[in-house]
Every structure is written in C-alpha cells, then in structure tokens.
Amino acid sequence: MSLVLVLVGGALGALVRFLVDRAIAVRVDAVLPWGTLAVNVAGSALLGVLAGASMALPDPVWQLAGAGFCGALTTWSTFAYETIRLAESGARGYAVLNVGLTLTAGLAAAALGWLATG
C-alpha cells in the first residue's frame, strides 16, 4: 500500500509541477527559471508543514504527501540543469542568483512551514 500512495502522490506532484511551470513560463519572459523556483519553494514549505505536524500525521499521509507529492513537486535535478545552462550560456550572474534564491527561499520556506505547525 505504501508504494501505491507514493506513486499516486508522485503522479499528482509531477502534474502540479508541470502545470505551475507552464503557467509561469507563459506569463513571465525572464532569464531566471521562475517556475522551477516556485515549485521548489512551495514543495519545501509543504514539507516543512508536514514535518512540523509529524506527530499528528499517520504514516499514509507522509507517504502520499511527503514522499510522493512533495518528492515529485520539487525538482532539484531541473534546478541543477537550469543553473548549469545559465552558466554555460554566459549568464553566470543569473546562475549564481538562481542558486542563492533557490537555496535561501527553499530553506526559509521549510523552516517557516515547520515553525508554523511545530
């Protein structure tokens, strides 16, 4: 049953990631990959909330929402690829900015989520 919950959560998380990324991409023409930043920060915040509420959550919720949904919503491999692509295209400053924004905002979002429910 755990595998099914992770798979269902993952399918939903991947779908949301795709839809959010596309919705932002058609509205914002920018060098920075704002869609990837948005889903990584949102996923970090949600995982922080789940971690803060860990004592009240049953294992199936963790499997569906934490491992499945948040695992697929956040996309650190795409973050790495887009950062390298920025650097290779000569936009090294934007690559550094992307790393700084993603790590700072992601960690802050996770901490705030945890503090809000912990």
Side-chain angles (χ1 to χ4, degrees), residues 5-48:
L5 290 170
V6 172
L7 289 173
V8 168
L12 293 172
L15 177 62
V16 169
R17 173 173 30 104
F18 174 77
L19 293 174
V20 168
D21 186 57
R22 292 296 94 209
I24 291 173
V26 299
R27 288 172 177 77
V28 178
D29 184 23
V31 175
L32 285 175
W34 290 108
T36 301
L37 177 65
V39 296
N40 283 343
V41 172
S44 295
L46 179 56
L47 199 54

Side-chain angles (χ1 to χ4, degrees), residues 34-102:
W34 290 108
T36 301
L37 177 65
V39 296
N40 283 343
V41 172
S44 295
L46 179 56
L47 199 54
V49 167
L50 293 170
S54 63
M55 294 306 207
L57 295 177
D59 283 344
V61 172
W62 269 105
Q63 294 158 359
L64 178 74
F69 186 80
C70 289
L73 177 65
T74 58
T75 177
W76 297 99
S77 59
T78 302
F79 155 71
Y81 169 77
E82 289 171 342
T83 301
I84 290 168
R85 191 189 62 188
L86 285 169
E88 289 177 344
S89 71
R92 287 186 174 86
Y94 284 108
V96 171
L97 179 62
N98 190 45
V99 170
L101 281 174
T102 300

